[in-house]
């Protein structure tokens, strides 16, 4: 069932491809006017053209405060955007012995500081016009699994989950909700082009449901969290991983 997001605006970061693109497409189909922000400017424009429904593509490195401010401002209607989906991330496959400070810092800058920057700007704008907005962060079930070859990445995703909880606590009084979606292994463009693509058989043995996770599986849940139906949910992290992590 499509959520009715008619008249709302949404920003989806890292949506030139993969899970982000599927989320942007779904929110646009739900009625939102979507702005894609991606470090890949050409990819952002191409994804927006492909999605249609008035979607726009913008160049944005989520670790750059000025670029983030411009992205969030561009999606304002009457002073603020309605929905922010923090999806952009660097997803590495790197053994612990090769993790140096440069790699660690890069992952922190993009995967965690990027979420802070969009949230800082968006919540300031939302509060200024009493907008009961939505922030949806894409985490990862690797945080719960402690997946190898991703130490810095897993640390950033733990940070995203912690930040989701704490920000929800602080801004709930303004009617703004903050939730996270935690995907399992998903057959995204990024995964298909990396060694993670070899992990589907192993991960499949850990899942309760058979099959390969698809970007649309994540977009469906983001659509729900952006909808009015999710208005009584905040500070939560929803695992969408075919039951790999059960609690
Ligand atoms: N695919 C999976 O199995 C999986 C599992 C768990 C969580 N996730 C999370 O889902 C999200 C999307 O993953 P994906 O597999 O679709 O990734 P992907 O690699 O296919 O796409 C990532 C996108 O982010 C963009 N990006 C990278 N750095 C950026 C920056 N500094 N600023 C703006 N954009 C930037 C890239 O250009 C790309 O378009 C990420 O947050 C990832 O951590 C993915």
């Amino acid at each position: 069932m499509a959520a009715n997001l008619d008249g709302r605006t949404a920003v989806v970061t890292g949506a030139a491809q993969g899970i982000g693109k599927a989320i942007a497409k779904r929110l646009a189909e739900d009625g939102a006017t979507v702005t894609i922000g991606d470090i890949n400017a050409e990819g952002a424009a191409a994804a927006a053209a492909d999605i249609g429904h008035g979607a726009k593509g913008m160049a944005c490195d989520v670790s750059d405060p000025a670029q983030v401010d411009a992205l969030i401002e561009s999606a304002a209607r009457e002073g603020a955007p309605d929905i922010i989906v923090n999806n952009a991330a660097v997803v590495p496959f790197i053994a612990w012995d090769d993790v140096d400070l440069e790699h660690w810092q890069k992952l922190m800058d993009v995967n965690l500081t990027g979420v802070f920057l969009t949230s800082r700007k968006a919540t300031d704008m939302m509060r200024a016009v009493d907008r009961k907005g939505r922030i949806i962060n894409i985490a990862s079930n690797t945080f719960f699994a402690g997946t190898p070859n991703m130490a810095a990445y897993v640390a950033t995703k733990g940070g995203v989950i912690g930040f989701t909880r704490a920000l929800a606590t602080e801004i709930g009084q303004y009617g703004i909700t903050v939730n996270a979606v935690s995907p399992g292994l998903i057959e995204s463009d990024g995964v298909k082009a990396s060694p993670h693509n070899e992990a589907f058989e192993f991960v499949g043995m850990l899942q309760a449901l058979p099959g390969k996770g698809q970007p649309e599986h994540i977009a469906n849940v983001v659509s729900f969290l952006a909808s009015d139906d999710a208005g009584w949910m905040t500070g939560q992290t929803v695992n969408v991983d075919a039951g790999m992590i059960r609690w």
Side-chain angles (χ1 to χ4, degrees):
M1 192 182 69
N4 187 351
L5 301 180
D6 286 345
R8 316 249 171 111
T9 64
V11 172
V12 187
T13 66
Q17 64 178 44
I19 294 172
K21 185 178 175 189
I23 293 169
K25 181 170 185 285
R26 175 58 191 267
L27 297 185
E29 289 168 354
D30 289 346
T33 301
V34 175
T35 305
I36 290 170
D38 201 294
I39 199 165
N40 173 1
E42 277 180 25
D50 196 25
I51 288 167
H53 298 279
K56 296 176 287 186
M58 265 183 82
C60 178
D61 176 347
V62 296
S63 66
D64 181 310
Q67 292 182 38
V68 169
D69 284 0
L71 174 71
I72 304 296
E73 280 167 9
S74 80
R77 67 160 181 96
E78 295 164 12
D82 295 288
I83 300 157
I84 307 294
V85 183
N86 286 307
N87 168 83
V90 177
V91 185
F93 185 98
I94 178 167
W96 169 242
D97 285 352
D98 297 324
V99 173
D100 59 14
L101 181 58
E102 190 184 350
H103 169 80
W104 177 271
Q105 197 60 57
K106 168 83 178 168
L107 272 280
M108 292 294 153
D109 289 349
V110 176
N111 296 12
L112 187 53
T113 304
V115 176
F116 160 71
L117 291 173
T118 61
S119 302
R120 177 74 273 162
K121 180 68 178 172
T123 59
D124 287 348
M125 292 175 74
M126 288 170 182
R127 287 168 59 186
V129 296
D130 196 24
R131 183 69 48 79
K132 304 201 174 350
R134 298 289 163 87
I135 297 178
I136 301 160
N137 300 323
I138 306 303
S140 170
N141 83 344
T142 59
F143 172 68
F144 303 103
T147 306
N149 298 305
M150 308 185 88
Y153 173 87
V154 171
T156 66
K157 293 301 185 178
V160 168
I161 290 168
F163 179 63
T164 298
R165 292 179 182 178
L167 185 61
T169 307
E170 294 212 43
I171 61 172
Q173 62 187 305
Y174 306 107
I176 301 168
T177 68
V178 189
N179 291 291
V181 175
S182 170
L185 185 62
I186 300 290
E187 198 174 27
S188 67
D189 298 291
V191 160
K192 280 192 275 187
S194 80
H196 296 297
N197 203 34
E198 307 304 316
F200 279 102
E201 193 178 336
F202 175 71
V203 167
M205 290 190 289
L206 304 176
Q207 293 174 183
L209 301 169
K212 286 185 180 181
Q214 298 301 316
E216 292 72 22
H217 290 136
I218 307 308
N220 291 341
V221 178
V222 172
S223 166
F224 166 69
L225 290 172
S227 76
D228 290 342
D229 286 347
W232 200 233
M233 262 182 89
T234 195
Q236 303 304 307
T237 296
V238 185
N239 276 318
V240 185
D241 63 357
M244 179 176 150
I245 305 292
R246 281 153 250 175
W247 56 9

